Amino acid sequence: MNHPTASLASLPIPRGPRKGTRHFLRDDDLSPADQARVLDLAADLKRAPYDAKPLAGPRTVAMIFDKQTLRTQASFAAGIAELGGHPMLVDGALAGIGVRESVDDVARVLGRQASVIVWRTFEQSRLEAMAEHSGVPVVNALTDEFHPCQLLADLLTIREQKGELAGLTVAFLGDGACNMGNSWLLAGATAGLHVRISSPEGYAPGAAMVDAAAAIAAGTGGSAVLEADPHAAVAGADVVVTDTWISMGKEDEAAPRAQVFGPYSVSAALFAEAKPDAIAMHCLPAYRGKEIDAEVIDGPRSVVWDEAENRRHAQKAVLTWLLEEEDRG
């Protein structure tokens, strides 16, 4: 069910921290119903990007970046402004979070200055500490363990291309033990997708993550499986996804990883083993000739640039949904 943007424009504004504050720290913080609601909001906000102003005031959203960023910073800053708010950039290095001041104390300070905190950082535990002590909603803009905002953008993109999500098959090729592998398992299962993670030995998601996704899928009709053979993973898939083989902080592993991951590269030949109308996805930055061929990422069935744009719409929807939940108390 779609939710018209007209109702968003009159969204009541919460007045300070409330008991039971909702956060978006990992993909399974959203139930299937929550996820569907956020995706509906994202579609509405994309159709009418300037109609809803839940951050009018302007209210401030603190954005903290401890890791390199382009799409995350640009999409959050633009989206916050479109929602009528003020994006306040906090330099993670200058703040010295966890070094100069504890995460707990920083959370208590920022929670008095901002209506929402968006943080791109390393350990998930840092984000959880921020949420515990801030008193305002906290959004995961990427951690070593999860990248949930990217997954919402990806799901929005798939829904635009394919219609209903439930029942579609997604093959993720590459480093399944990274944040994207984890998030595809959880978010894909929540959406009722059949998720296949295909990785070399030693690079698969942890068993606990696969089990968590399988438990979710049992209630949504989806599935979450590991498939070491990239050809078997791609066969008949509706969506083929990859990511860089070299995650931030692992640049010194570039050469050995290139050898290990070579068979998992999304070449034109491998992509042809998916359905004839399959789409190719990559969250960027991309390295053509490594994890994906230029012919695929720049080809007619690539939706990579739609993904990049949809970060803004999906994140606006997350912020709006969190404010709705905050107002409900």
Side-chain angles (χ1 to χ4, degrees), residues 9 18 30 46 75 82 113 138 140 149 151 190 208 253 303:
R18 294 169 184 261
L30 300 182
K46 186 172 183 176
S75 56
E82 288 178 2
Q113 306 293 342
V138 173
N140 182 348
C149 287
L151 260 292
T190 301
E253 301 177 21
V303 294

Side-chain angles (χ1 to χ4, degrees), residues 274-294:
K275 285 185 178 178
D277 63 347
I279 55 176
M281 305 185 78
H282 192 307
C283 67
L284 303 174
Y287 300 92
R288 291 164 175 81
K290 294 187 183 295
E291 73 272 6
I292 192 167
D293 278 3

